[in-house]
Amino acid sequence: GQQLNQSPQSMFIQEGEDVSMNCTSSSIFNTWLWYKQDPGEGPVLLIALYKAGELTSNGRLTAQFGITRKDSFLNISASIPSDVGIYFCAGTFGNEKLTFGTGTRLTIIP
Amino acid sequence: GAVVSQHPSWVICKSGTSVKIECRSLDFQATTMFWYRQFPKQSLMLMATSNEGSKATYEQGVEKDKFLINHASLTLSTLTVTSAHPEDSSFYICSARTPGTGGTDTQYFGPGTRLTVL
């Protein structure tokens, strides 16, 4: 099925650094969702975006719904060890199924 | 946020047997649930959309006779892998869509079920 382009594929950072990842699509969405998945677990919803241009924060996480409705980014400030995991973006239009990004694997170097 | 549970969390079975996985929305009613499969180091791939009281809609390439889906109530959907084979070994994850107004639907995921077919 269709997938969103998510970048980067992986990131290796030091604790305390800021992180930025983004997602792009060839088609427009009216909802963008960002999830985090730990090994052996299901994805956990981090942030939901419902309006073009919307900027939403959840603690150290900030996500934006792109003006063109074809992209979104997620920033994590001052990373900590528990931020390690795989981050997925997902988009949907109306009541259609979610389209998932390819994922960004975040690793924190000690 | 909304809570979705799955049972069992892991299962090991012999080739040729059938396995049933349950997905429940614990604190909300979900008219629509989804079943995904995830292979190692890959993203989630949608298998089917489960609608309460009607037949599931399967994605292209997913055998509906092999992956039986029943959405018997607003809080329960089941996936039965019939005559499982080693290639069916995977991580199966369900999600439930919460009702929203003005296009604010959101999907919450269960913790997943690890199926290993010997």
Side-chain angles (χ1 to χ4, degrees):
Chain A
Q2 178 190 2
Q3 284 192 327
L4 303 174
N5 293 317
Q6 193 171 340
S7 66
Q9 279 190 327
S10 58
M11 302 184 73
F12 296 85
I13 62 167
Q14 291 190 320
E15 185 177 348
E17 285 187 33
D18 296 342
V19 171
S20 184
M21 61 189 78
N22 66 72
C23 218
T24 58
S25 169
S26 57
S27 53
I28 63 173
F29 292 117
N30 61 8
T31 298
W32 281 95
L33 305 170
W34 283 92
Y35 293 90
K36 177 176 182 278
Q37 186 178 28
D38 291 328
E41 301 286 335
V44 174
L45 181 67
L46 299 174
I47 292 179
L49 303 161
Y50 300 110
K51 202 162 69 171
E54 180 181 354
L55 183 71
T56 297
S57 294
N58 178 7
R60 294 178 295 107
L61 278 61
T62 302
Q64 185 158 30
F65 192 141
I67 290 291
T68 65
R69 298 169 67 188
K70 291 183 178 181
D71 62 344
S72 177
F73 73 74
L74 174 71
N75 286 342
I76 305 172
S77 63
S79 58
I80 60 177
S82 61
D83 291 334
V84 166
I86 302 177
Y87 292 80
F88 289 102
C89 61
T92 185
F93 188 90
N95 283 332
E96 294 178 359
K97 58 195 177 186
L98 279 181
T99 299
F100 272 87
T102 46
T104 296
R105 183 181 295 271
L106 179 63
T107 302
I108 294 185
I109 306 167
Chain B
V3 180
V4 178
S5 71
Q6 265 182 257
H7 178 80
S9 55
W10 60 270
V11 57
I12 301 173
C13 69
K14 292 184 179 179
S15 186
T17 60
S18 294
V19 174
K20 180 186 282 189
I21 303 170
E22 291 186 350
C23 178
R24 295 181 185 270
S25 55
L26 297 186
D27 50 1
F28 65 99
Q29 293 184 327
T31 55
T32 305
M33 292 184 173
F34 302 87
W35 287 96
Y36 295 82
R37 183 166 49 183
Q38 186 179 36
F39 292 106
K41 298 191 177 181
Q42 292 188 21
S43 187
L44 285 74
M45 296 303 294
L46 181 64
M47 298 175 66
T49 301
S50 169
N51 295 298
E52 187 267 337
S54 64
K55 290 184 179 180
T57 303
Y58 290 82
E59 294 300 297
Q60 192 173 5
V62 177
E63 300 174 59
K64 62 180 180 181
D65 294 329
K66 180 170 186 60
F67 298 99
L68 301 178
I69 292 172
N70 186 344
H71 195 151
S73 76
L74 288 172
T75 58
L76 173 64
S77 176
T78 60
L79 168 68
T80 301
V81 183
T82 62
S83 187
H85 290 285
E87 58 266 28
D88 298 323
S89 299
S90 188
F91 194 50
Y92 291 87
I93 312 172
C94 73
S95 71
R97 184 160 66 198
T98 59
T101 58
T104 59
D105 292 356
T106 303
Q107 278 190 38
Y108 290 89
F109 285 81
T113 296
R114 171 77 57 194
L115 171 63
T116 302
V117 185
L118 303 176

